[in-house]
Amino acid sequence: MSETITKIKIGAVGDIEDGEALVVDAEQTGTGEPIAVFHDEGEYFALNDRCSHGEASLADGWIEGGQVECPLHSGKFCLRTGSVLSMPATEDVAAHKVEVEGDEIWLYPGQAAAQ
Ligand code: FES
């Protein structure tokens, strides 16, 4: 049986400014969690939006150099893998696949991000 691939159109390249992020609601992602799509210097990444340390939206954090810094206590995560990079966060967040097809950005919720 073939697996159904679910993907969500996020918008066009240019819709998310460099250093900004856009949040896809949990109802839309189908994963039970909101997912943030980040733009960092021409590359796009997606992580679960909720910080693993507390009730903060990573989309509101500081995005730079392949990392996002949580706006609440400054824990840092790798945008590519979701790996935690600094305290006080100690648990990784899930990373999801994002692709740019033509000039459109697509999110694949629940699919592993390319490492
Ligand atoms: Fe993100 Fe504390 S809530 S580091």
Side-chain angles (χ1 to χ4, degrees), residues 51-56 58 70-77 87-89:
C51 181
S52 62
H53 180 251
E55 291 297 319
L58 293 179
C70 176
L72 200 53
H73 308 116
S74 303
K76 289 183 185 169
F77 299 88
M87 300 280 272

Side-chain angles (χ1 to χ4, degrees), residues 8 11 14 33 46 48-49 52-53 70 75 95 101 103-104 112:
I8 299 171
E33 290 284 339
N48 277 5
D49 185 46
S52 62
H53 180 251
C70 176
E101 298 170 19
D103 68 345
E104 296 175 344

Side-chain angles (χ1 to χ4, degrees), residues 3-45:
E3 189 179 309
T4 305
I5 296 174
T6 304
K7 61 181 190 177
I8 299 171
K9 185 178 173 183
I10 299 303
V13 169
D15 285 354
I16 309 173
E17 298 286 328
D18 186 16
E20 299 290 332
L22 178 152
V23 179
V24 182
D25 293 342
E27 297 76 42
Q28 285 180 278
T29 65
T31 64
E33 290 284 339
I35 295 175
V37 179
F38 302 87
H39 178 189
D40 182 33
E41 297 177 5
E43 288 195 275
Y44 295 87
F45 305 95

